[in-house]
């Protein structure tokens, strides 16, 4: 009887210990972690994201964060994928541009183009509009000094403008200048500025017409170069030892016109188009009809109204 009683007491004590352990696990904060952060085996076994190894110890599932071995395997897998994918695709190779332009990478154009935007056929024919009163305008310059005078006065060619375009080859090959095409960048009402003549009243003017001479009416809807009567038209050939100079006289009366030229060339299998302008800016020519006009007497000290100088 004593043995049965003792055995029952022992079984009851063991059950009580087991039940107290379960209660302790449920009561511990953090889902079964003790104050040091360790999880009890009972709590770990209830965690759906945990697994138990063969020895019965709980370990974190992959979703709880990769182990060092897992990170190594991930890097190895990525390296294998990169190797199997091969090198990254390179950008498309440059292609030839539109007809009439040199293909990219084919080198510079085999010619040079220089422009003199203030060439004068003769001083008497050249006039400029200036937005200043006569007392603030310096005397007319010589032709070679015209660019500086124009810049200082903010002047715009009046009625007409004469360009000199010089083209020369840079290598041994011959270059064909196919055409000079006029492009209009804008048209406005003529400038309401004062009109100043570059020639001196009473002084004879005159000059010969250059060999390659063209005119263009800027007031036209589609301005184009027209060779002077008796002069040849494009194409022309140039080389390093045989340059060409083309003179273009542009006329404007009804508009203030901004414009430039496009020079089309070819040489062998290459071709291209070059823009011809005033140092990156369009040329500008304005009509002058009805504008106050002034002239500078030879030996005089100031500008006077046009027609008031006594030629004698």
């Amino acid at each position: 009887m004593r043995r049965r009683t003792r055995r029952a007491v022992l079984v009851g004590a063991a059950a009580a210990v087991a039940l107290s352990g379960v209660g302790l696990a449920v009561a511990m904060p953090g889902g079964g972690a003790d104050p040091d952060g360790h999880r009890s085996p009972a709590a770990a076994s209830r965690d759906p994201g945990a697994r138990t190894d063969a020895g019965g110890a709980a370990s974190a599932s992959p979703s709880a964060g990769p182990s060092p071995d897992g990170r190594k395997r991930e890097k190895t897998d990525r390296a294998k994928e990169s190797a199997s994918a091969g090198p990254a695709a390179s950008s498309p190779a440059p292609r030839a541009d539109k007809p009439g332009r040199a293909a990219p990478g084919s080198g510079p154009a085999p010619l040079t183009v220089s422009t003199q935007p203030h060439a004068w056929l003769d001083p008497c024919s050249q006039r400029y509009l200036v937005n200043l009163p006569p007392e603030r305008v310096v005397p007319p310059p010589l032709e070679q000094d015209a660019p500086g005078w124009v810049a200082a006065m903010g002047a715009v060619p009046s009625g007409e403008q004469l360009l000199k375009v010089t083209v020369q080859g840079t290598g041994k090959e011959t270059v064909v200048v196919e055409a000079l095409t006029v492009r209009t960048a804008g048209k406005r009402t003529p400038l309401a500025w004062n009109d100043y003549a570059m020639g001196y009243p009473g002084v004879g003017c005159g000059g010969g017409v250059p060999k390659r001479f063209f005119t263009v009416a800027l007031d036209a809807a589609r301005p184009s170069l027209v060779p002077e009567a008796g002069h040849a038209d494009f194409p022309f050939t140039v080389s390093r030892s045989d340059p060409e100079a083309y003179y273009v006289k542009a006329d404007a009366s009804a508009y203030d016109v901004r414009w430039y030229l496009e020079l089309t060339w070819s040489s062998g299998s290459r071709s291209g188009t070059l823009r011809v302008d005033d140092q990156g800016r369009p040329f500008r020519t304005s009509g002058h009809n009805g504008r106050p006009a002034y002239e500078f007497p030879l030996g005089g000290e100031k500008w006077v109204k046009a027609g008031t100088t006594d030629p004698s």
Side-chain angles (χ1 to χ4, degrees):
M1 185 70 179
R2 288 180 180 176
R3 291 179 180 178
R4 291 179 180 176
T5 303
R6 185 177 181 182
R7 188 178 299 168
V9 170
L10 292 175
V11 171
V17 171
L19 290 173
S20 64
V22 172
L24 178 63
V26 172
M28 289 181 69
D34 61 16
D36 294 331
H38 300 296
R39 296 168 64 88
S40 68
S45 65
R46 292 193 305 275
D47 188 348
R51 63 179 176 85
T52 304
D53 59 17
S59 61
S61 68
S63 62
S67 66
D69 292 340
R71 287 194 293 269
K72 289 181 181 179
R73 285 195 298 272
E74 183 179 356
K75 291 181 179 179
T76 302
D77 293 341
R78 289 180 179 176
K80 290 179 179 180
E81 291 176 0
S82 298
S84 62
S90 58
S91 57
R95 63 176 179 80
D97 208 338
K98 298 177 181 179
R101 295 182 181 273
S106 59
L111 73 166
T112 60
V113 181
S114 60
T115 308
Q116 184 180 339
H118 300 289
W120 295 353
L121 209 54
D122 60 72
C124 295
S125 64
Q126 188 58 59
R127 311 177 72 91
Y128 289 96
L129 291 168
V130 180
N131 193 24
L132 292 172
E135 58 271 18
R136 294 183 56 189
V137 178
V138 298
L142 299 174
E143 180 182 355
Q144 61 267 29
D145 300 325
W149 187 92
V150 167
M153 297 292 100
V156 173
S158 170
E160 70 178 43
Q161 180 174 4
L162 183 67
L163 309 181
K164 180 182 179 182
V165 180
T166 303
V167 184
Q168 184 174 17
T170 57
K172 296 180 180 179
E173 67 271 29
T174 297
V175 181
V176 179
V177 181
E178 303 284 356
L180 272 178
T181 305
V182 182
R183 301 297 186 191
T184 301
K187 286 185 177 182
R188 299 180 180 178
T189 303
L191 295 169
W193 297 355
N194 293 328
D195 186 30
Y196 296 90
M198 296 296 101
Y200 293 96
V203 177
C205 293
V209 175
K211 181 179 180 181
R212 309 294 190 202
F213 193 79
F214 302 85
T215 60
V216 54
L218 296 176
D219 291 338
R222 293 184 178 181
S224 61
L225 294 188
V226 178
E228 185 76 2
H231 288 238
D233 200 356
F234 291 95
F236 300 106
T237 59
V238 298
S239 64
R240 185 164 53 189
S241 59
D242 187 21
E244 286 271 352
Y246 311 123
Y247 289 81
V248 178
K249 187 180 76 170
D251 299 309
S253 60
Y255 298 99
D256 167 19
V257 186
R258 296 175 186 269
W259 58 286
Y260 60 94
L261 298 170
E262 286 183 345
L263 185 148
T264 305
W265 61 271
S266 63
S267 180
S269 61
R270 301 180 60 201
S271 62
T273 301
L274 299 176
R275 173 167 165 150
V276 181
D277 55 24
D278 188 1
Q279 299 181 356
R281 301 181 302 271
F283 304 117
R284 188 178 185 184
T285 312
S286 176
H288 61 174
N289 294 340
R291 304 305 184 232
Y294 295 88
E295 59 192 18
F296 203 97
L298 185 63
E301 297 180 354
K302 63 180 182 179
W303 293 91
V304 299
K305 288 186 178 181
T308 61
T309 301
D310 185 1
S312 60

